Amino acid sequence: MSTPGTPTAKPSAKAAARAQAQRERILVAAQQCFVVHGFHAASMANIAETAGMSAGLIYRYFKGKNDIILAIIERQLEEARADVAKLHSSSDLVGGIAEVFQQWQANDPSITSAALFLELTAEATRDPEIAAATHASDKVFRADLASWFARSAAEGGLGVPKEQVATRVLILQSLIEGLAMRAISQPDLTVEQVKDALSQFLPSLLTAQA
């Protein structure tokens, strides 16, 4: 038992890594359940069974289902920012976006799938807390894109004129989110078809001159 003024011992690196792995396991299981059952029908018992752990153990890491959803939104933002960072360093932007589309088609439960993205979007229309988190996440992501568009080519950006940045960011976000819809509503759409369409449109969006 600690005495007043005595700092609480920090968890070891091994314990912290184990806790992070447990959180990841829960989030992946929750994402699977939310896609299969929807946010409201999926229960903590469903998530526990899918994760292969007790519901009591889940409550050690998350207060409840909303807490899990908020963590998934945060995770989604991290994935999106990582995708943008990869685009920064890639000379094949068409291939990079097509790869994201291919991941959506695969419906990999370890990442934010297209179906989960739509579930999150729908839930944001019903739950103020989820809406606030979604809007905050989107704002950060848009700022990342805007920064990339506005920076000069020498600084790793696209050198888009300042007055055009917001419009082009809106178009790119709409394009990417539209591909998420296509992954669900047009399952026979091939990656090659996506690449061909992007090749015809994307260069004009991502060049400095309009």
Side-chain angles (χ1 to χ4, degrees), residues 126-172:
R126 297 184 287 260
D127 186 308
E129 188 179 22
I130 302 301
T134 300
H135 296 162
S137 173
D138 183 69
K139 186 176 181 179
V140 171
F141 183 56
R142 277 188 284 115
D144 277 1
L145 287 176
S147 176
W148 176 40
F149 272 65
R151 285 197 305 271
S152 67
E155 297 173 311
L158 300 174
V160 170
K162 184 178 179 179
E163 66 275 10
Q164 297 178 18
V165 168
T167 298
R168 296 211 203 179
V169 165
L170 175 61
I171 294 171
L172 183 61

Side-chain angles (χ1 to χ4, degrees), residues 23-36:
R23 282 176 59 87
E24 270 302 297
R25 183 175 165 189
I26 294 165
L27 291 179
V28 169
Q31 290 185 172
Q32 284 182 274
C33 291
F34 292 153
V35 168
V36 172

Side-chain angles (χ1 to χ4, degrees), residues 2 4 26 29 37 44 47 73 96 101 112 117 127-128 143 146 156 172 187 192:
S2 62
I26 294 165
H37 304 291
M44 293 296 275
I47 296 169
I73 293 172
F101 172 78
T112 305
F117 169 73
D127 186 308
L172 183 61
E192 289 308 313

Side-chain angles (χ1 to χ4, degrees), residues 98-135:
E99 183 182 339
V100 173
F101 172 78
Q102 192 169 27
Q103 289 174 342
W104 282 334
Q105 279 193 318
N107 205 26
D108 183 349
S110 68
I111 63 172
T112 305
S113 66
L116 183 61
F117 169 73
L118 294 179
E119 279 287 336
L120 286 169
T121 304
E123 188 63 14
T125 67
R126 297 184 287 260
D127 186 308
E129 188 179 22
I130 302 301
T134 300
H135 296 162

